[in-house]
Amino acid sequence: MSESLALIYRPNKFEDVVGQGSTVQILKNQLINKDIKQAYLFKGASGCGKTTCARIFANELNEYKGKPIELNAADTNGVDDIRVIIDDCRLKPIDSKYKIYIIDEVHMLSKGAFNALLKVLEEPPKHVIFILCTTDPQKIPKTVLSRLQKFEFKRMSVEDTVNRLQYILSEEGYKKADVNALHYIARLAEGGMRDAITLLDTVLSYTDVITLDSISKCLGDTQYKLLNDIVEGILDQDIPKCINAVETMHSDGRDLRLVVKELCRYVLDICKYYYTRNFDSTLIPPDFYNVVKEIIDTSDIEFLLDIVDSLNKLDNRIRFDGNPKYVVESEIIILCR
């Protein structure tokens, strides 16, 4: 079983980290000046390098002696789990200077777990450092936040992502790839480097010819065709066309709550193209560019915006619905009329 590209090319030192210039520089300066804090918060979108930088920082602090202790709060988030850490951190490390705890997805800790964590953050042992990582800092209690030095990790720019993908392809022996295709992968990843590399890995499993056409075929023309069928059905008041598309996705096992989100994003992307005349700000596959241009030329933008509004409301209504099919179908029929 071959290792994924996302793991192979995960940075092991700060020099390899892409797109986090100021944050990385501050962390490197702290290492140089030995100005080390005892509790950090790394916050930002999924796949932008928080946990990777936490590991690099931990290893640099301990001069690559020993390993940081990692906890994923998505799986281990109870008060007893934090109490284990509290008991453990009283013991000095044997093979390194610091005992470093990396808690990923820390926002998922229970209320009791946060209360327990707060106690050790208030007076941590001198040999202990906490690095907390999160995609949702709003869920962390303010009492905990006030004891952390915070770093904001940015979403990757398209250019930084494309440059990294080109580097990976070169290292893997692929001499040529359509730069427009790599730009499209970067847009699909929406600022997540890990997601972009995973998408590239998926495409390379399908073909070694990296073009817009091959990416579209590999990553979802079928999905967009069905989404487009619903949009065109609504605009043409063609109820059977819409219902058939919904039924197909439902039969294929698609979660209709996610379908509504994707449909809303697709119509929003159409509206964004209407105002910008630039597909670079959208996730629309290249094969659908002409289709979208035709929709724009033959449709009322106000009605398209109304569709976005209706789908946003529908998304809120069905968010916790275990079987939203009938609600989705009824809303689409109303839009058709």
Side-chain angles (χ1 to χ4, degrees):
M1 184 182 294
S2 60
E3 200 172 19
S4 70
L5 293 178
L7 289 176
I8 294 171
Y9 290 96
R10 190 170 196 163
N12 293 312
K13 53 184 185 294
F14 279 132
E15 286 71 24
D16 295 332
V17 175
V18 175
Q20 306 298 340
S22 59
T23 294
V24 166
Q25 190 58 54
I26 293 171
L27 293 173
K28 289 170 70 175
N29 288 344
Q30 288 192 1
L31 290 167
I32 293 169
N33 298 324
K34 301 190 183 306
D35 180 24
I36 308 303
K37 315 304 177 186
Q38 286 199 267
Y40 295 84
L41 179 69
F42 291 1
K43 56 181 179 174
S46 177
C48 65
K50 302 182 300 298
T51 308
T52 294
C53 284
R55 289 171 180 164
I56 294 172
F57 190 53
N59 287 328
E60 290 281 349
L61 278 169
N62 276 331
E63 299 177 348
Y64 291 86
K65 297 174 183 176
K67 289 185 178 180
I69 302 161
E70 297 193 33
L71 175 77
N72 191 327
D75 305 315
T76 311
N77 52 25
V79 62
D80 290 338
D81 301 307
I82 298 302
R83 283 174 179 159
V84 169
I85 291 177
I86 293 172
D87 290 338
D88 180 65
C89 74
R90 294 192 182 103
L91 304 173
K92 290 187 177 182
I94 297 173
D95 53 359
S96 59
K97 182 177 181 180
Y98 297 104
K99 186 171 279 189
I100 302 173
Y101 297 90
I102 298 174
I103 305 180
D104 214 355
E105 301 298 340
V106 69
H107 61 273
M108 298 189 73
L109 289 179
S110 67
K111 183 178 179 181
F114 270 124
N115 288 335
L117 180 63
L118 178 60
K119 292 179 181 179
V120 73
L121 289 178
E122 287 174 339
E123 294 183 16
K126 291 183 179 180
H127 60 269
V128 170
I129 294 173
F130 286 95
I131 306 176
L132 313 182
C133 302
T134 182
T135 55
D136 198 350
Q138 290 81 8
K139 293 182 179 178
I140 301 175
K142 292 181 180 178
T143 50
V144 173
L145 287 173
S146 66
R147 287 162 174 82
L148 306 171
Q149 184 174 61
K150 305 168 192 66
F151 289 93
E152 185 81 44
F153 282 73
K154 302 175 183 177
R155 292 182 184 274
M156 299 294 141
S157 70
V158 170
E159 290 303 321
D160 281 340
T161 304
V162 169
N163 290 338
R164 185 64 175 171
L165 295 181
Q166 287 176 323
Y167 167 78
I168 291 171
L169 286 169
S170 175
E171 290 293 303
E172 291 295 307
Y174 295 92
K175 301 300 182 185
K176 188 175 181 181
D178 184 347
V179 69
N180 292 321
L182 298 181
H183 270 265
Y184 182 56
I185 289 177
R187 296 205 308 276
L188 285 176
E190 297 186 281
M193 183 64 77
R194 182 178 63 238
D195 291 341
I197 297 172
T198 300
L199 286 170
L200 177 64
D201 213 352
T202 302
V203 174
L204 291 175
S205 298
Y206 172 73
T207 177
D208 59 359
V209 180
I210 310 299
T211 64
L212 281 171
D213 182 62
S214 65
I215 289 173
S216 293
K217 284 183 170 59
C218 175
L219 298 181
D221 268 1
T222 303
Q223 170 190 317
Y224 264 89
K225 182 184 183 306
L226 292 170
L227 294 177
N228 191 72
D229 282 350
I230 296 175
V231 173
E232 290 185 344
I234 292 171
L235 295 172
D236 297 337
Q237 297 183 319
D238 187 341
I239 293 176
K241 186 174 184 178
C242 292
I243 296 302
N244 287 338
V246 172
E247 184 61 41
T248 297
M249 286 190 274
H250 184 257
S251 298
D252 288 343
R254 298 290 307 283
D255 185 337
L256 291 185
R257 289 168 296 186
L258 295 179
V259 168
V260 169
K261 286 184 181 292
E262 292 163 0
L263 181 61
C264 184
R265 186 173 69 179
Y266 179 45
V267 182
L268 178 60
D269 276 347
I270 294 172
C271 295
K272 285 163 67 176
Y273 175 73
Y274 174 88
Y275 288 110
T276 66
R277 289 302 192 271
N278 184 355
F279 283 111
D280 287 347
S281 62
T282 76
L283 298 180
I284 297 169
D287 284 358
F288 284 81
Y289 286 177
N290 289 333
V291 174
V292 169
K293 289 176 181 177
E294 185 175 346
I295 289 174
I296 290 298
D297 290 340
T298 58
S299 305
D300 178 7
I301 186 61
E302 294 300 327
F303 184 45
L304 288 169
L305 291 170
D306 285 343
I307 294 173
V308 173
D309 184 53
S310 296
L311 292 173
N312 272 323
K313 291 175 180 176
L314 176 61
D315 176 40
N316 287 327
R317 283 168 55 198
I318 67 173
R319 185 167 298 174
F320 303 107
D321 193 327
N323 185 19
K325 183 171 183 284
Y326 305 112
V327 181
V328 172
E329 288 176 332
S330 63
E331 183 65 33
I332 287 176
I333 289 172
I334 291 169
L335 282 171
C336 287
R337 296 181 63 190

